[in-house]
Amino acid sequence: MTQRSSRLYVLALAAAAVVTAAGSAAPARAAGKLYIVTSTTDLAALAQEVGGDRVEVESIARGYQDPHFVEAKPSFLLKLKHADLLIMVGLQLEIGWLPPLITQCGNPKIQPAAPGYLDASQFAEILEIPTTQVTRAMGDVHPLGNPHYWLDPENGLRIARGIEQKLSEMRPNDAAYFAQRYESFRQRLENEDKKWLEEMKPLRGLKVVTYHRSWPNFAKHFGIEVVGYVEPRPGIPPSPAHTVELIQLMKREKVKLILVEPYFDLKTPNAIARETGAQVIVLLPSVGGEKEVTDYFKLFDYDIALLTKAFAATR
Amino acid sequence: MSVTRILPAPKGIFLEGTAQVYRGDSANVFTATGRKDVSYVGHLRGYRDLSESTNVDLGFSYAFGHNDVGSAFHTQLYGLDATLRWKPLRRSIYHHFLARTELVWSHRDQLSAALLLPETQRAFGFYTSGEYRLNRRWTVGARYDRSDRARQANLTDSGFSALLTYWPSEFSQVRGQYRFARYAEKQDANELRFQFLFVLGAHGAHPF
């Protein structure tokens, strides 16, 4: 055998080994459980509520992480490679990182339009859908609407219902179990929501400023009014000129609360607060934003407790 | 032709293998003088999360092909690369650190300049670079590189760069670079480079 053909032979063998080995790489999952990967912790929490012990759920993003800027790490490919179902927020929230992971993971079950690909936005009420052409001059505006829709408990319920239907479709034998889990979740959520709305009653009509446009669904549901943003445009860092304008606006509108997501720097919000006498509170947009916020109910418990306490302090 | 597959590996390690066969020329490295002059490239990549904020990437590459001396003359390249990334999740848009290095060994068959006898030139080159994001708008970086010339390995060029990048937003960047290069002929070069980048159209994937 010549040196050249021997090289060809070795390369062909190596390629064959690569291909063969790839087929055998499958980690042991709990027997019979559907393996669900979600893009965010909120969707993971909702999937867990409905799926109970018949599913294993993992989230790619952490609750204290900006979901726009998750890194497409190869370790996530290992999760996606074995997923039976992928649930995402959609509306281009994950556009910077999830599409390449889906493409590269090589899992046909979770490719777009496959049965294991679930975009939760289809079930939710979407706000801030642009009515004009979206351009980069508007910042990182999502052309399909604001993707932070899970922060309305009514949307939480709609998403849970959508997940229940999907799980029943994938596991018809467990459909009754998923329906019962959903019903239990619905009852608990509706009861909790009544309590939250009662607690938030004194804050109805309250004017606030938020760092990013994360809260339109939350604000609508609980009746608070967002009058300005620390970011001049979505995704654009605060500029001195905008900060001055915002301070004037807050003084004029007597805004006393600035809501900041846990992944933004507090330097500018604190400076604005000093100028306006407002209070900065770090409100959690996602489950897992703090250790004790371990499920969808605790997310609202945490945020509403913070808001009502801060509101009381401004009186 | 290219095949890329995720390979089985111990838990927590991402292992990916790539094998490529192609015909074509690449400037100064591989030259195909006949239809059968194909080149081969293999790459093995191992990745591991050290923590939720830190990860490491290691790679080994091998390339084989024909060079411009003739079909019977081959060039083989062996490469090692390593990347260390740190990005704290709670402040990922404000700070990150990236260190990267690549080492390449070249074995090139050619005719010796003096006697026109077949010989193999063995050259080595590497670069190492670091980048740190100071805040949401500013990133600083530095890079050092040094390489023997593939055709005459006793000649070595080296260089150093310093970079400063300003990010007005996620969709644009302005970069300035100072580069000092010392060539084997004892000539020095000082360069200033500027780069303006604007992203148009649909939101693309973020680089990793």
Short mmCIF file of all heavy atoms in Angstrom, two decimals, chain B residues 39-97:
data_model
loop_
_atom_site.label_atom_id
_atom_site.label_comp_id
_atom_site.label_asym_id
_atom_site.label_seq_id
_atom_site.Cartn_x
_atom_site.Cartn_y
_atom_site.Cartn_z
N SER B 39 -7.03 17.41 -0.59
CA SER B 39 -6.46 17.72 0.73
C SER B 39 -7.39 17.18 1.80
O SER B 39 -8.59 17.03 1.58
CB SER B 39 -6.31 19.24 0.89
OG SER B 39 -5.52 19.76 -0.13
N TYR B 40 -6.82 16.90 2.96
CA TYR B 40 -7.60 16.36 4.08
C TYR B 40 -7.41 17.23 5.31
O TYR B 40 -6.29 17.71 5.57
CB TYR B 40 -7.13 14.94 4.44
CG TYR B 40 -6.94 14.05 3.24
CD1 TYR B 40 -5.66 13.75 2.77
CD2 TYR B 40 -8.04 13.52 2.56
CE1 TYR B 40 -5.47 12.93 1.67
CE2 TYR B 40 -7.86 12.71 1.45
CZ TYR B 40 -6.58 12.42 1.01
OH TYR B 40 -6.40 11.63 -0.08
N VAL B 41 -8.48 17.41 6.03
CA VAL B 41 -8.39 18.16 7.29
C VAL B 41 -9.16 17.40 8.36
O VAL B 41 -10.27 16.91 8.11
CB VAL B 41 -9.00 19.58 7.14
CG1 VAL B 41 -9.01 20.30 8.49
CG2 VAL B 41 -8.22 20.40 6.13
N GLY B 42 -8.57 17.26 9.50
CA GLY B 42 -9.27 16.64 10.63
C GLY B 42 -9.17 17.56 11.82
O GLY B 42 -8.15 18.24 12.03
N HIS B 43 -10.24 17.64 12.59
CA HIS B 43 -10.22 18.51 13.78
C HIS B 43 -10.97 17.82 14.90
O HIS B 43 -12.07 17.30 14.71
CB HIS B 43 -10.87 19.86 13.44
CG HIS B 43 -10.86 20.82 14.60
ND1 HIS B 43 -9.70 21.34 15.11
CD2 HIS B 43 -11.86 21.34 15.35
CE1 HIS B 43 -9.97 22.14 16.13
NE2 HIS B 43 -11.29 22.17 16.29
N LEU B 44 -10.36 17.79 16.05
CA LEU B 44 -11.00 17.24 17.23
C LEU B 44 -11.13 18.37 18.25
O LEU B 44 -10.12 19.02 18.58
CB LEU B 44 -10.16 16.09 17.80
CG LEU B 44 -10.79 15.31 18.94
CD1 LEU B 44 -12.03 14.55 18.45
CD2 LEU B 44 -9.79 14.33 19.53
N ARG B 45 -12.35 18.59 18.73
CA ARG B 45 -12.58 19.71 19.65
C ARG B 45 -13.17 19.19 20.95
O ARG B 45 -14.15 18.44 20.94
CB ARG B 45 -13.56 20.69 19.01
CG ARG B 45 -13.92 21.85 19.89
CD ARG B 45 -15.10 22.62 19.29
NE ARG B 45 -15.39 23.79 20.08
CZ ARG B 45 -16.50 24.50 19.97
NH1 ARG B 45 -17.43 24.17 19.10
NH2 ARG B 45 -16.70 25.56 20.73
N GLY B 46 -12.58 19.58 22.05
CA GLY B 46 -13.11 19.22 23.36
C GLY B 46 -13.47 20.48 24.12
O GLY B 46 -12.71 21.45 24.13
N TYR B 47 -14.65 20.47 24.72
CA TYR B 47 -15.13 21.67 25.42
C TYR B 47 -15.65 21.25 26.78
O TYR B 47 -16.28 20.19 26.92
CB TYR B 47 -16.26 22.31 24.61
CG TYR B 47 -17.02 23.38 25.36
CD1 TYR B 47 -16.67 24.72 25.22
CD2 TYR B 47 -18.06 23.06 26.23
CE1 TYR B 47 -17.35 25.69 25.93
CE2 TYR B 47 -18.74 24.03 26.93
CZ TYR B 47 -18.39 25.34 26.78
OH TYR B 47 -19.06 26.29 27.48
N ARG B 48 -15.42 22.09 27.77
CA ARG B 48 -15.95 21.79 29.11
C ARG B 48 -16.28 23.07 29.84
O ARG B 48 -15.52 24.05 29.79
CB ARG B 48 -14.89 20.99 29.89
CG ARG B 48 -15.40 20.50 31.23
CD ARG B 48 -14.27 19.83 32.02
NE ARG B 48 -14.69 19.57 33.36
CZ ARG B 48 -15.35 18.49 33.76
NH1 ARG B 48 -15.63 17.55 32.90
NH2 ARG B 48 -15.72 18.34 35.01
N ASP B 49 -17.42 23.08 30.52
CA ASP B 49 -17.76 24.18 31.42
C ASP B 49 -16.99 23.97 32.72
O ASP B 49 -17.15 22.93 33.37
CB ASP B 49 -19.26 24.18 31.74
CG ASP B 49 -20.09 24.69 30.56
OD1 ASP B 49 -19.61 25.56 29.85
OD2 ASP B 49 -21.22 24.19 30.39
N LEU B 50 -16.17 24.93 33.10
CA LEU B 50 -15.47 24.82 34.39
C LEU B 50 -16.38 25.30 35.51
O LEU B 50 -16.30 24.86 36.64
CB LEU B 50 -14.18 25.64 34.36
CG LEU B 50 -13.16 25.22 33.28
CD1 LEU B 50 -11.94 26.12 33.30
CD2 LEU B 50 -12.75 23.76 33.46
N SER B 51 -17.22 26.28 35.19
CA SER B 51 -18.26 26.75 36.10
C SER B 51 -19.32 27.35 35.19
O SER B 51 -19.17 27.34 33.97
CB SER B 51 -17.70 27.79 37.07
OG SER B 51 -17.41 28.99 36.35
N GLU B 52 -20.38 27.94 35.77
CA GLU B 52 -21.40 28.51 34.88
C GLU B 52 -20.86 29.74 34.14
O GLU B 52 -21.42 30.14 33.13
CB GLU B 52 -22.67 28.85 35.66
CG GLU B 52 -22.51 29.98 36.65
CD GLU B 52 -23.84 30.41 37.25
OE1 GLU B 52 -24.79 29.63 37.26
OE2 GLU B 52 -23.89 31.55 37.73
N SER B 53 -19.78 30.33 34.64
CA SER B 53 -19.23 31.52 34.01
C SER B 53 -17.97 31.26 33.19
O SER B 53 -17.56 32.11 32.41
CB SER B 53 -18.87 32.56 35.08
OG SER B 53 -19.98 32.86 35.87
N THR B 54 -17.34 30.13 33.42
CA THR B 54 -16.03 29.89 32.81
C THR B 54 -16.05 28.58 32.02
O THR B 54 -16.59 27.58 32.48
CB THR B 54 -14.94 29.78 33.91
OG1 THR B 54 -15.09 30.89 34.79
CG2 THR B 54 -13.55 29.79 33.33
N ASN B 55 -15.45 28.61 30.85
CA ASN B 55 -15.36 27.38 30.08
C ASN B 55 -14.06 27.34 29.29
O ASN B 55 -13.41 28.37 29.10
CB ASN B 55 -16.57 27.21 29.15
CG ASN B 55 -16.76 28.39 28.24
OD1 ASN B 55 -15.96 28.61 27.34
ND2 ASN B 55 -17.82 29.18 28.46
N VAL B 56 -13.71 26.14 28.89
CA VAL B 56 -12.45 25.98 28.16
C VAL B 56 -12.69 25.11 26.93
O VAL B 56 -13.48 24.19 26.95
CB VAL B 56 -11.35 25.39 29.10
CG1 VAL B 56 -11.71 23.99 29.55
CG2 VAL B 56 -9.99 25.42 28.46
N ASP B 57 -12.01 25.47 25.87
CA ASP B 57 -12.11 24.79 24.59
C ASP B 57 -10.70 24.35 24.20
O ASP B 57 -9.78 25.17 24.19
CB ASP B 57 -12.56 25.83 23.53
CG ASP B 57 -13.81 25.41 22.80
OD1 ASP B 57 -13.92 24.22 22.52
OD2 ASP B 57 -14.63 26.29 22.51
N LEU B 58 -10.50 23.08 23.88
CA LEU B 58 -9.19 22.61 23.41
C LEU B 58 -9.38 21.92 22.07
O LEU B 58 -10.38 21.23 21.86
CB LEU B 58 -8.58 21.62 24.41
CG LEU B 58 -8.26 22.17 25.80
CD1 LEU B 58 -7.85 21.04 26.73
CD2 LEU B 58 -7.16 23.22 25.73
N GLY B 59 -8.45 22.11 21.17
CA GLY B 59 -8.60 21.48 19.87
C GLY B 59 -7.28 20.99 19.31
O GLY B 59 -6.20 21.50 19.64
N PHE B 60 -7.39 19.95 18.49
CA PHE B 60 -6.23 19.44 17.76
C PHE B 60 -6.62 19.34 16.29
O PHE B 60 -7.72 18.87 15.97
CB PHE B 60 -5.81 18.06 18.28
CG PHE B 60 -4.80 17.40 17.38
CD1 PHE B 60 -3.49 17.86 17.33
CD2 PHE B 60 -5.16 16.34 16.55
CE1 PHE B 60 -2.56 17.27 16.48
CE2 PHE B 60 -4.24 15.75 15.69
CZ PHE B 60 -2.93 16.22 15.66
N SER B 61 -5.76 19.82 15.41
CA SER B 61 -6.07 19.80 13.98
C SER B 61 -4.93 19.17 13.20
O SER B 61 -3.76 19.27 13.60
CB SER B 61 -6.26 21.22 13.44
OG SER B 61 -7.16 21.94 14.22
N TYR B 62 -5.29 18.55 12.10
CA TYR B 62 -4.28 18.02 11.20
C TYR B 62 -4.73 18.29 9.77
O TYR B 62 -5.91 18.10 9.46
CB TYR B 62 -4.09 16.51 11.42
CG TYR B 62 -3.23 15.87 10.36
CD1 TYR B 62 -1.84 16.08 10.36
CD2 TYR B 62 -3.76 15.06 9.35
CE1 TYR B 62 -1.03 15.51 9.38
CE2 TYR B 62 -2.96 14.49 8.37
CZ TYR B 62 -1.60 14.73 8.39
OH TYR B 62 -0.80 14.18 7.43
N ALA B 63 -3.82 18.76 8.94
CA ALA B 63 -4.16 18.98 7.54
C ALA B 63 -3.06 18.41 6.67
O ALA B 63 -1.87 18.52 7.00
CB ALA B 63 -4.34 20.46 7.26
N PHE B 64 -3.46 17.82 5.58
CA PHE B 64 -2.51 17.24 4.64
C PHE B 64 -2.91 17.64 3.23
O PHE B 64 -4.09 17.60 2.88
CB PHE B 64 -2.53 15.70 4.77
CG PHE B 64 -1.76 15.01 3.69
CD1 PHE B 64 -0.40 14.77 3.82
CD2 PHE B 64 -2.39 14.60 2.51
CE1 PHE B 64 0.31 14.13 2.81
CE2 PHE B 64 -1.69 13.97 1.51
CZ PHE B 64 -0.32 13.73 1.65
N GLY B 65 -1.93 18.05 2.43
CA GLY B 65 -2.26 18.39 1.05
C GLY B 65 -1.00 18.52 0.22
O GLY B 65 0.12 18.39 0.72
N HIS B 66 -1.20 18.77 -1.05
CA HIS B 66 -0.08 18.94 -1.98
C HIS B 66 0.28 20.42 -2.04
O HIS B 66 -0.58 21.27 -1.86
CB HIS B 66 -0.49 18.44 -3.37
CG HIS B 66 -1.00 17.03 -3.32
ND1 HIS B 66 -0.22 15.94 -3.58
CD2 HIS B 66 -2.23 16.54 -2.97
CE1 HIS B 66 -0.93 14.84 -3.41
NE2 HIS B 66 -2.15 15.18 -3.05
N ASN B 67 1.55 20.68 -2.30
CA ASN B 67 1.92 22.09 -2.34
C ASN B 67 2.36 22.52 -3.75
O ASN B 67 2.31 21.73 -4.69
CB ASN B 67 2.94 22.44 -1.26
CG ASN B 67 4.26 21.72 -1.45
OD1 ASN B 67 4.73 21.60 -2.58
ND2 ASN B 67 4.84 21.23 -0.36
N ASP B 68 2.78 23.78 -3.85
CA ASP B 68 3.01 24.34 -5.18
C ASP B 68 4.29 23.86 -5.86
O ASP B 68 4.55 24.22 -7.01
CB ASP B 68 2.98 25.88 -5.10
CG ASP B 68 4.01 26.41 -4.13
OD1 ASP B 68 4.72 25.58 -3.51
OD2 ASP B 68 4.11 27.64 -3.97
N VAL B 69 5.09 23.02 -5.17
CA VAL B 69 6.31 22.50 -5.83
C VAL B 69 5.91 21.42 -6.84
O VAL B 69 6.52 21.28 -7.90
CB VAL B 69 7.29 21.95 -4.78
CG1 VAL B 69 8.58 21.46 -5.44
CG2 VAL B 69 7.62 23.01 -3.75
N GLY B 70 4.86 20.68 -6.51
CA GLY B 70 4.42 19.63 -7.43
C GLY B 70 3.54 18.63 -6.71
O GLY B 70 3.46 18.64 -5.47
N SER B 71 2.94 17.78 -7.48
CA SER B 71 1.97 16.83 -6.93
C SER B 71 2.60 15.89 -5.91
O SER B 71 1.96 15.44 -4.98
CB SER B 71 1.37 16.04 -8.08
OG SER B 71 0.23 15.38 -7.66
N ALA B 72 3.88 15.59 -6.07
CA ALA B 72 4.54 14.64 -5.17
C ALA B 72 5.04 15.32 -3.89
O ALA B 72 5.59 14.67 -3.00
CB ALA B 72 5.71 14.00 -5.89
N PHE B 73 4.88 16.61 -3.81
CA PHE B 73 5.37 17.36 -2.64
C PHE B 73 4.19 17.72 -1.73
O PHE B 73 3.20 18.29 -2.20
CB PHE B 73 6.12 18.62 -3.07
CG PHE B 73 7.42 18.31 -3.77
CD1 PHE B 73 7.43 17.95 -5.11
CD2 PHE B 73 8.60 18.34 -3.06
CE1 PHE B 73 8.62 17.64 -5.75
CE2 PHE B 73 9.80 18.05 -3.69
CZ PHE B 73 9.82 17.69 -5.05
N HIS B 74 4.34 17.35 -0.49
CA HIS B 74 3.21 17.51 0.44
C HIS B 74 3.51 18.53 1.53
O HIS B 74 4.67 18.77 1.87
CB HIS B 74 2.89 16.17 1.11
CG HIS B 74 2.59 15.08 0.14
ND1 HIS B 74 3.06 13.80 0.27
CD2 HIS B 74 1.88 15.10 -1.03
CE1 HIS B 74 2.65 13.07 -0.75
NE2 HIS B 74 1.94 13.84 -1.55
N THR B 75 2.43 19.08 2.04
CA THR B 75 2.53 19.92 3.24
C THR B 75 1.63 19.33 4.30
O THR B 75 0.48 18.99 4.02
CB THR B 75 2.11 21.37 2.94
OG1 THR B 75 3.04 21.95 2.03
CG2 THR B 75 2.07 22.21 4.21
N GLN B 76 2.18 19.19 5.49
CA GLN B 76 1.36 18.71 6.62
C GLN B 76 1.36 19.78 7.69
O GLN B 76 2.41 20.34 8.01
CB GLN B 76 1.95 17.43 7.19
CG GLN B 76 1.90 16.26 6.23
CD GLN B 76 2.50 15.03 6.86
OE1 GLN B 76 1.86 14.35 7.63
NE2 GLN B 76 3.75 14.77 6.53
N LEU B 77 0.19 20.05 8.23
CA LEU B 77 0.06 21.03 9.30
C LEU B 77 -0.51 20.35 10.53
O LEU B 77 -1.50 19.61 10.43
CB LEU B 77 -0.86 22.18 8.88
CG LEU B 77 -0.47 22.99 7.65
CD1 LEU B 77 -1.58 23.98 7.30
CD2 LEU B 77 0.83 23.73 7.89
N TYR B 78 0.08 20.60 11.68
CA TYR B 78 -0.44 20.10 12.94
C TYR B 78 -0.78 21.32 13.80
O TYR B 78 0.04 22.24 13.90
CB TYR B 78 0.61 19.27 13.69
CG TYR B 78 1.14 18.10 12.89
CD1 TYR B 78 2.21 18.25 12.00
CD2 TYR B 78 0.57 16.84 13.02
CE1 TYR B 78 2.69 17.19 11.27
CE2 TYR B 78 1.06 15.76 12.29
CZ TYR B 78 2.11 15.93 11.42
OH TYR B 78 2.58 14.87 10.69
N GLY B 79 -1.94 21.34 14.37
CA GLY B 79 -2.32 22.52 15.15
C GLY B 79 -2.90 22.16 16.50
O GLY B 79 -3.56 21.13 16.67
N LEU B 80 -2.62 23.00 17.46
CA LEU B 80 -3.24 22.90 18.79
C LEU B 80 -3.86 24.25 19.09
O LEU B 80 -3.26 25.30 18.78
CB LEU B 80 -2.19 22.60 19.87
CG LEU B 80 -1.67 21.18 20.00
CD1 LEU B 80 -0.58 21.14 21.08
CD2 LEU B 80 -2.80 20.21 20.36
N ASP B 81 -5.05 24.25 19.66
CA ASP B 81 -5.64 25.54 20.03
C ASP B 81 -6.32 25.42 21.39
O ASP B 81 -6.78 24.35 21.78
CB ASP B 81 -6.65 26.02 18.96
CG ASP B 81 -7.80 25.07 18.77
OD1 ASP B 81 -8.79 25.20 19.52
OD2 ASP B 81 -7.71 24.19 17.91
N ALA B 82 -6.34 26.51 22.08
CA ALA B 82 -6.97 26.55 23.41
C ALA B 82 -7.65 27.90 23.61
O ALA B 82 -7.11 28.94 23.22
CB ALA B 82 -5.92 26.32 24.50
N THR B 83 -8.85 27.86 24.16
CA THR B 83 -9.59 29.10 24.44
C THR B 83 -10.17 29.02 25.84
O THR B 83 -10.77 28.00 26.21
CB THR B 83 -10.76 29.27 23.43
OG1 THR B 83 -10.24 29.22 22.12
CG2 THR B 83 -11.46 30.60 23.64
N LEU B 84 -9.98 30.06 26.60
CA LEU B 84 -10.57 30.15 27.93
C LEU B 84 -11.50 31.35 27.93
O LEU B 84 -11.10 32.46 27.56
CB LEU B 84 -9.47 30.34 28.99
CG LEU B 84 -9.98 30.48 30.43
CD1 LEU B 84 -10.36 29.12 31.00
CD2 LEU B 84 -8.90 31.12 31.31
N ARG B 85 -12.76 31.12 28.32
CA ARG B 85 -13.74 32.23 28.34
C ARG B 85 -14.27 32.40 29.75
O ARG B 85 -14.54 31.41 30.45
CB ARG B 85 -14.93 31.92 27.43
CG ARG B 85 -14.60 31.72 25.99
CD ARG B 85 -15.87 31.44 25.20
NE ARG B 85 -15.57 31.01 23.85
CZ ARG B 85 -15.26 29.77 23.53
NH1 ARG B 85 -15.23 28.82 24.45
NH2 ARG B 85 -14.99 29.45 22.28
N TRP B 86 -14.45 33.63 30.13
CA TRP B 86 -15.09 33.93 31.42
C TRP B 86 -16.14 35.00 31.18
O TRP B 86 -15.84 36.04 30.57
CB TRP B 86 -14.04 34.44 32.42
CG TRP B 86 -14.64 34.96 33.69
CD1 TRP B 86 -15.09 34.23 34.75
CD2 TRP B 86 -14.85 36.33 34.05
NE1 TRP B 86 -15.58 35.06 35.72
CE2 TRP B 86 -15.44 36.35 35.32
CE3 TRP B 86 -14.60 37.54 33.39
CZ2 TRP B 86 -15.79 37.54 35.95
CZ3 TRP B 86 -14.96 38.72 34.03
CH2 TRP B 86 -15.53 38.72 35.31
N LYS B 87 -17.34 34.73 31.59
CA LYS B 87 -18.42 35.70 31.42
C LYS B 87 -19.40 35.51 32.57
O LYS B 87 -20.12 34.50 32.62
CB LYS B 87 -19.11 35.45 30.07
CG LYS B 87 -20.06 36.55 29.68
CD LYS B 87 -20.67 36.26 28.32
CE LYS B 87 -20.11 37.16 27.26
NZ LYS B 87 -20.88 37.14 26.00
N PRO B 88 -19.40 36.43 33.52
CA PRO B 88 -20.30 36.24 34.67
C PRO B 88 -21.75 36.41 34.23
O PRO B 88 -22.10 37.42 33.62
CB PRO B 88 -19.87 37.36 35.63
CG PRO B 88 -19.26 38.40 34.75
CD PRO B 88 -18.67 37.70 33.57
N LEU B 89 -22.60 35.43 34.52
CA LEU B 89 -23.96 35.42 33.97
C LEU B 89 -24.78 36.65 34.39
O LEU B 89 -25.55 37.18 33.60
CB LEU B 89 -24.70 34.15 34.39
CG LEU B 89 -24.17 32.84 33.85
CD1 LEU B 89 -25.19 31.74 34.04
CD2 LEU B 89 -23.80 32.95 32.39
N ARG B 90 -24.63 37.10 35.65
CA ARG B 90 -25.44 38.23 36.10
C ARG B 90 -25.01 39.54 35.46
O ARG B 90 -25.74 40.53 35.51
CB ARG B 90 -25.33 38.38 37.63
CG ARG B 90 -26.11 37.35 38.39
CD ARG B 90 -25.84 37.49 39.87
NE ARG B 90 -26.28 36.31 40.59
CZ ARG B 90 -27.50 36.16 41.10
NH1 ARG B 90 -28.38 37.12 41.00
NH2 ARG B 90 -27.82 35.05 41.73
N ARG B 91 -23.80 39.58 34.95
CA ARG B 91 -23.30 40.82 34.34
C ARG B 91 -22.70 40.53 32.97
O ARG B 91 -21.71 41.15 32.57
CB ARG B 91 -22.25 41.47 35.26
CG ARG B 91 -22.82 42.08 36.53
CD ARG B 91 -23.63 43.34 36.23
NE ARG B 91 -24.19 43.96 37.41
CZ ARG B 91 -25.38 43.69 37.92
NH1 ARG B 91 -26.12 42.75 37.38
NH2 ARG B 91 -25.83 44.33 38.97
N SER B 92 -23.33 39.62 32.25
CA SER B 92 -22.71 39.14 31.01
C SER B 92 -22.60 40.23 29.94
O SER B 92 -21.75 40.15 29.07
CB SER B 92 -23.48 37.95 30.46
OG SER B 92 -24.80 38.34 30.11
N ILE B 93 -23.47 41.24 30.01
CA ILE B 93 -23.37 42.27 28.98
C ILE B 93 -22.31 43.32 29.33
O ILE B 93 -22.01 44.18 28.51
CB ILE B 93 -24.73 42.96 28.71
CG1 ILE B 93 -25.29 43.59 29.97
CG2 ILE B 93 -25.71 41.99 28.10
CD1 ILE B 93 -26.54 44.43 29.72
N TYR B 94 -21.76 43.24 30.53
CA TYR B 94 -20.78 44.26 30.95
C TYR B 94 -19.33 43.77 30.95
O TYR B 94 -18.42 44.54 30.70
CB TYR B 94 -21.13 44.75 32.36
CG TYR B 94 -22.48 45.40 32.44
CD1 TYR B 94 -23.57 44.71 32.94
CD2 TYR B 94 -22.68 46.70 31.99
CE1 TYR B 94 -24.82 45.30 33.01
CE2 TYR B 94 -23.93 47.29 32.04
CZ TYR B 94 -24.99 46.58 32.55
OH TYR B 94 -26.23 47.17 32.60
N HIS B 95 -19.15 42.50 31.31
CA HIS B 95 -17.77 42.03 31.45
C HIS B 95 -17.59 40.65 30.84
O HIS B 95 -18.47 39.80 30.95
CB HIS B 95 -17.39 41.92 32.94
CG HIS B 95 -17.48 43.20 33.68
ND1 HIS B 95 -16.69 44.29 33.40
CD2 HIS B 95 -18.31 43.58 34.68
CE1 HIS B 95 -17.02 45.28 34.21
NE2 HIS B 95 -17.99 44.89 34.98
N HIS B 96 -16.48 40.47 30.19
CA HIS B 96 -16.05 39.11 29.85
C HIS B 96 -14.56 39.12 29.60
O HIS B 96 -13.95 40.18 29.36
CB HIS B 96 -16.84 38.55 28.65
CG HIS B 96 -16.42 39.10 27.31
ND1 HIS B 96 -17.29 39.71 26.46
CD2 HIS B 96 -15.22 39.12 26.66
CE1 HIS B 96 -16.65 40.08 25.36
NE2 HIS B 96 -15.39 39.73 25.47
N PHE B 97 -13.98 37.96 29.69
CA PHE B 97 -12.55 37.81 29.41
C PHE B 97 -12.39 36.61 28.49
O PHE B 97 -13.06 35.60 28.67
CB PHE B 97 -11.78 37.58 30.71
CG PHE B 97 -10.33 37.26 30.47
CD1 PHE B 97 -9.46 38.25 30.01
CD2 PHE B 97 -9.84 35.99 30.68
CE1 PHE B 97 -8.12 37.95 29.76
CE2 PHE B 97 -8.50 35.68 30.44
CZ PHE B 97 -7.66 36.68 29.99
#
